[in-house]
Amino acid sequence: AKGDSGQIVVAVIDDGVDLDHVDLSSNLWINPGEIANNGIDDDLNGYIDDIHGWNFANNTNDPNGNHGSIGYAGHGTKVASVFAATDNGSLLAGASWNCDLMVLNAAYQNISFGAPSIQWGYESMVYAAENGADIITCSWGRRGGYSQLEADITAYVQSLGVIILNASGNVNLDADINPNYPGGYYNVLTVGSTGATNDIRSGFSSYGAS
């Protein structure tokens, strides 16, 4: 759904999103089965007061990221802006500026690593799919071996009619030889990078039929 052609729910699984951002706040998904701040799991989904999503990192209903942590919600806010920034005449507009933005913080803030790392990506996928997301975007991934558990989860999410998007990776590798997951699993739509003014693949972007 591009722009005003239809209403969809897009879940961003990342290190949180700035819920107060002027270009994002009016597009936040609101859980229709939950009454805000009453301390009750009204929709019986296992999460109390999950109005805009969930924070799996600290198990709270504030998906705004972990305050005071490295890059606090910086990456997720940028990712969300690509599609969910509203067309309000301020700053910028996203590709689907009237979508509903579901926010899921899945990042472990590892100070020694120097950046957030995704630890609850697949739990977040299940939450998103079971709570009404149409599209899940994952601007993260891992290399290494195939995981049957991860593959089963992506298949389950897709069985609920959800599209999973994954970044191809920023390491200039052939994904057919060095797969990036979850993009390496069946029917996950993997997105690479091209130049700003042409369709030439960016030198850092991974590539391949996979």
Side-chain angles (χ1 to χ4, degrees):
K2 180 180 179 182
D4 55 5
S5 63
Q7 194 75 23
I8 57 171
V9 177
V10 185
V12 58
I13 299 175
D14 215 285
D15 65 349
V17 169
D18 180 2
L19 304 185
D20 297 321
H21 195 288
V22 63
D23 274 348
L24 298 173
S25 60
S26 64
N27 276 353
L28 293 175
W29 170 74
I30 298 175
N31 186 345
E34 200 71 24
I35 299 172
N37 303 318
N38 68 349
I40 300 173
D41 181 12
D42 299 289
D43 57 4
L44 303 178
N45 69 349
Y47 303 91
I48 296 174
D49 291 336
D50 52 325
I51 300 301
H52 302 304
W54 194 254
N55 188 326
F56 284 88
N58 58 25
N59 200 34
T60 70
N61 68 339
D62 178 13
N64 199 21
N66 296 336
H67 298 262
S69 60
I70 297 172
Y72 162 55
H75 190 267
T77 301
K78 294 174 184 176
V79 171
S81 73
V82 172
F83 58 88
T86 187
D87 186 21
N88 60 1
S90 171
L91 301 179
L92 54 86
S96 186
W97 56 84
N98 72 333
C99 71
D100 290 334
L101 170 62
M102 179 189 292
V103 182
L104 297 164
N105 180 23
Y108 171 66
Q109 302 289 341
N110 189 334
I111 296 176
S112 61
F113 181 66
S117 59
I118 299 296
Q119 297 290 321
W120 297 274
Y122 291 87
E123 293 90 336
S124 297
M125 283 188 197
V126 172
Y127 175 97
E130 292 183 341
N131 287 277
D134 299 294
I135 295 174
I136 296 172
T137 180
C138 307
S139 289
W140 45 267
R142 68 163 182 85
R143 307 211 172 260
Y146 179 96
S147 164
Q148 189 60 55
L149 174 62
E150 293 175 357
D152 289 345
I153 290 173
T154 58
Y156 168 66
V157 167
Q158 291 164 343
S159 75
L160 298 180
V162 181
I163 297 170
I164 302 173
L165 305 179
N166 185 222
S168 68
N170 302 330
V171 288
N172 190 25
L173 291 175
D174 184 342
D176 298 331
I177 301 172
N178 297 284
N180 183 62
Y181 296 106
Y185 298 124
Y186 185 68
N187 272 346
V188 175
L189 180 58
T190 306
V191 182
S193 171
T194 63
T197 59
N198 57 53
D199 288 331
I200 298 173
R201 179 178 65 87
S202 301
F204 60 82
S205 180
S206 295
Y207 57 94
S210 296

